[in-house]
Amino acid sequence: GLEGSMKGVELTANIPLRMLTDSLDGFGIAASATILDAELEDGTAIPGQSDNTYSITAYYEMNGFEVRVAATDRSEFLTYQRGGSNKIEAATRDAVTQVDAQISYDFAQSGIEYLEGLRIALQGVNLTDEKEETRDSNGFVTLRREFGPSYMLNFNYSFY
């Protein structure tokens, strides 16, 4: 197989906003940026590897209540698809920005004894209805996937 190299930098920060003022206690921002230069020895990109990935999450956490909104931006990347005569050929998956959110409550400190093991969470994934598109070497869209937003309501109960 081919060998390759990957060089880059990843920066991550989690900033509780109470550092600025006590009135922002519970609020925070988590962010990361990954910037890579990765390629195989023949000069092609490493499949599945984006050059740039950025994410940011704004959150509020206080007394068992939690709200999070997260966005991730990923640049295009090399992938493979079935081509003519059922052979595998290179393709490019387009860049995508996805927004997700969650709201939850953990009853552990609620003071209601029989609910102290319960955690309820509502999650929304792909809230902006992003589509995934793959293009062939001529730039034509060969695959489009549309999943739409999805929502999950979770009830977790711990008995210990």
Side-chain angles (χ1 to χ4, degrees):
L2 292 172
E3 292 185 14
S5 68
M6 182 181 301
K7 300 174 194 165
V9 63
E10 182 172 47
L11 304 170
T12 302
N14 186 357
I15 305 165
L17 296 180
R18 72 175 174 268
M19 293 174 23
L20 304 174
T21 175
D22 287 343
S23 63
L24 293 176
D25 190 25
F27 288 94
I29 296 173
S32 70
T34 304
I35 301 165
L36 297 174
D37 178 19
E39 64 181 34
L40 297 171
E41 62 189 0
D42 68 355
T44 60
I46 296 175
Q49 187 62 61
S50 293
D51 288 342
N52 302 307
T53 304
Y54 305 100
S55 67
I56 187 164
T57 302
Y59 63 87
Y60 175 77
E61 298 173 341
M62 186 67 67
N63 300 323
F65 180 71
E66 182 179 310
V67 177
R68 294 182 174 275
V69 178
T72 300
D73 181 68
R74 180 178 183 183
S75 64
E76 69 182 25
F77 60 93
L78 176 69
T79 188
Y80 292 101
Q81 64 185 7
R82 295 221 178 262
S85 300
N86 216 20
K87 67 179 181 176
I88 301 296
E89 61 184 28
T92 302
R93 178 78 50 88
D94 283 350
V96 66
T97 301
Q98 184 169 318
V99 177
D100 306 324
Q102 175 178 308
I103 185 169
S104 65
Y105 185 74
D106 188 339
F107 287 85
Q109 298 174 5
S110 67
I112 306 170
E113 186 175 337
Y114 61 91
L115 291 179
E116 288 181 0
L118 180 64
R119 178 181 169 87
I120 299 174
L122 175 63
Q123 298 173 310
V125 178
N126 192 21
L127 296 176
T128 53
D129 193 15
E130 291 295 317
K131 296 152 188 60
E132 293 181 10
E133 291 187 343
T134 301
R135 299 179 183 278
D136 66 13
S137 59
N138 296 315
F140 294 110
V141 174
T142 56
L143 176 67
R144 175 179 287 141
R145 291 189 265 184
E146 298 182 41
F147 299 104
S150 61
Y151 304 92
M152 295 169 279
L153 180 59
N154 302 303
F155 294 88
N156 297 314
Y157 195 92
S158 174
F159 292 95
Y160 57 90

